[in-house]
Amino acid sequence: MTNDQPGTTDAGAETPGPRVGNRHPLALVLFALTAVSGFVDAVTFLGLGRVFAANMTGNVVVIGFAAAGAPGFSVTGSLVSLGAFLVGAAGAGRLARAFRGRRRVPWVRAALVGEAVLLGVTTVLAFAGAADATYVLIALLALAMGLRNGTVLKLNVPDLTTTVLTRTLTGLAVESRLAGGADRLAVRRIGATLAMIAGALPGAWLVLHHGIGWPLLAGTAAVTAVACGYRERPEGTGGESGGRSGKRNFRTHS
């Protein structure tokens, strides 16, 4: 972790992200947020003009498609999403510095509350049927995802980025028994993939059959519940490293 991260300077500082086991409260939060990403991108891609709010790689590719004249893609929508995402990520950096030297829980909870508020505003606008608000909705969702991605980057928990799976799936293959490895993070990597599907599938169904309001409400409710329920036991009580699993992860990535 960098010196800008909370929980790195005081004597009671918490263990680094790579030491977080699969059953650690922070890992469970990140799995839940991965599912929310599936809801969010289902809304933006299927309901707001084939744009991504969580997956910026997809947006860059979409911009190329649109610039080449491919039908159904929006340069403007993707640029709005990209710009708002960067603003949100910059805000995450500011937030991390504001909580420097403090415990991880209040920092992460503040980021979760910020995401929940942005998703909540988007949900209200969606149900209100705000005319010509497509770019506003895209911007709010991308802002929320930028805030989250910047925070997750600072948390530095391996293979739980919550929004992209390319590196996760690559690691699953490269470190698999088929490749001659003994992937100690296979459960996490498979879990993250399933979490994304668990959000994208019902998110897409809701968008196609009931509009964008309901999947946004589901995502807002999930992030709000996670923000309210997130707790960690102090270091030394068995809750910080996630037990034996967390220690194995630390050795693997140290």
Side-chain angles (χ1 to χ4, degrees), residues 7-14 101 103 235:
T8 60
T9 59
D10 60 354
E14 292 153 17
R103 292 288 184 179
E235 185 178 354

Side-chain angles (χ1 to χ4, degrees), residues 194-223:
L194 293 177
M196 185 73 77
I197 295 172
L201 194 158
W205 186 87
L206 286 169
V207 171
L208 294 175
H209 297 281
H210 299 285
I212 66 173
W214 290 107
L216 287 174
L217 180 61
T220 302
V223 177

Side-chain angles (χ1 to χ4, degrees), residues 4-29:
D4 289 331
Q5 288 171 263
T8 60
T9 59
D10 60 354
E14 292 153 17
T15 51
R19 199 169 173 181
V20 170
N22 293 336
R23 290 178 293 179
H24 187 281
L26 180 59
L28 298 179
V29 165

Side-chain angles (χ1 to χ4, degrees), residues 29 33 107-117 147 223-224 226-227 230:
V29 165
L33 294 180
W107 164 46
V108 174
R109 187 175 291 126
L112 290 170
V113 168
E115 179 176 341
V117 168
L147 174 62
V223 177
T224 302
V226 167
Y230 174 48

